Amino acid sequence: MADKPYFEEQVINQLKGYKRLTSKIAMLEKQPVGMGISVSRGPEGDHLQALHRKLKDMPSYMYLSQKEQDLELTAHAYLENYTTGTQSQLREVRRVSGVDEEDQGKLNDIARRVAKVLEARRGDGDSYEGYEGALRRLDEIKELQEQKEQIDGALELLATYKPDYTKLLKLRFIEGLSVEEVSAQLSIVRKTFSRWKPKAIEEYAELAGMSR
């Protein structure tokens, strides 16, 4: 019995993960930055820069929670130098001491948040908080969206000359229907399904750049 082409498992896993991929994108897009601002991406423009400009031009109370506003007030009260570098900001926050336990707790919280931004940039953390978290979510959405577009593009191209192959792949691997259910929807017998399936996978792999 001949071995399966090496790309067959790749194709099947990619298509089976399609719904999980779209759900992850939707989940990340729905997470609000604050005051109704979300990180949802549209089809045009650089949305990372657009969100950056949008938040920069707004007063902080429009996108910070009440707790974050309290921390901002504490930072203004204690910090003399407002450095632009995140590492420098962390050193500056750690340099000062609060006059009481409450203020010291807030300064510690600020330091923790700045440190999490640094961790996220290095890929060490998993923070989605605040403005930096919004940018990180946008980066992840962009990467996931590119994966989705690759799948959509390959399926759409395949549908232009082999629409039944496209339907077979969608029904079997994306929708998760059984062989019998797919065969019934395509009005074919199981033997035809077994003949079409490897051909459909091979065509898809070629279009998705997975067969080389």
Side-chain angles (χ1 to χ4, degrees):
M1 183 176 178
D3 292 335
K4 293 181 180 179
Y6 77 94
F7 54 79
E8 183 171 328
E9 187 175 353
Q10 274 186 291
V11 170
I12 292 172
N13 288 339
Q14 187 181 77
L15 294 174
K16 283 184 173 181
Y18 183 83
K19 284 191 174 182
R20 189 183 310 110
L21 181 68
T22 55
S23 295
K24 182 74 179 292
I25 293 170
M27 182 271 291
L28 289 170
E29 287 183 337
K30 287 178 182 178
Q31 290 183 0
V33 179
M35 297 298 290
I37 302 171
S38 70
V39 296
S40 179
R41 297 174 69 251
E44 76 292 328
D46 185 336
H47 291 265
L48 283 170
Q49 293 184 11
L51 179 61
H52 184 104
R53 289 193 298 270
K54 187 172 186 177
L55 296 182
K56 264 186 76 173
D57 294 340
M58 294 172 65
S60 60
Y61 68 83
M62 292 292 287
Y63 59 87
L64 294 182
S65 66
Q66 184 59 57
K67 181 177 180 179
E68 288 170 332
Q69 290 178 54
D70 289 342
L71 295 177
E72 184 183 46
L73 289 173
T74 303
H76 286 316
Y78 282 93
L79 302 183
E80 298 177 1
N81 302 314
Y82 291 93
T83 57
T84 55
T86 309
Q87 189 69 57
S88 300
Q89 291 171 356
L90 183 58
R91 284 197 300 267
E92 185 68 15
V93 174
R94 287 175 172 172
R95 184 184 63 81
V96 297
S97 300
V99 296
D100 54 33
E101 187 175 336
E102 181 181 0
D103 278 8
Q104 187 59 51
K106 291 178 181 179
L107 289 169
N108 292 341
D109 195 0
I110 293 170
R112 179 185 61 81
R113 288 168 183 252
V114 175
K116 287 179 76 173
V117 169
L118 287 170
E119 289 175 0
R121 287 178 177 175
R122 291 194 302 264
D124 300 331
D126 191 26
S127 172
Y128 286 137
E129 294 184 4
Y131 168 67
E132 290 286 348
L135 295 186
R136 192 170 179 222
R137 286 205 301 278
L138 277 169
D139 278 336
E140 184 169 357
I141 290 170
K142 184 177 180 181
E143 182 180 338
L144 295 173
Q145 192 71 33
E146 286 172 355
Q147 294 175 31
K148 180 179 180 296
E149 288 169 0
Q150 181 194 36
I151 297 171
D152 290 337
L155 289 171
E156 287 168 10
L157 281 174
L158 182 58
T160 62
Y161 64 94
K162 288 289 186 181
D164 286 335
Y165 284 5
T166 301
K167 290 176 185 176
L168 184 151
L169 294 176
K170 285 183 175 180
L171 292 172
R172 180 70 178 114
F173 302 118
I174 294 180
E175 298 302 326
L177 300 186
S178 67
V179 173
E180 290 74 19
E181 289 170 325
V182 175
S183 299
Q185 291 213 25
L186 293 176
S187 300
I188 59 176
V189 297
R190 188 185 183 99
K191 187 176 180 180
T192 302
F193 174 92
S194 298
R195 190 174 71 251
W196 282 8
K197 175 189 163 187
K199 292 180 180 179
I201 290 173
E202 184 175 0
E203 291 286 345
Y204 174 90
E206 180 69 29
L207 294 170
M210 298 165 67
S211 62
R212 294 179 180 83

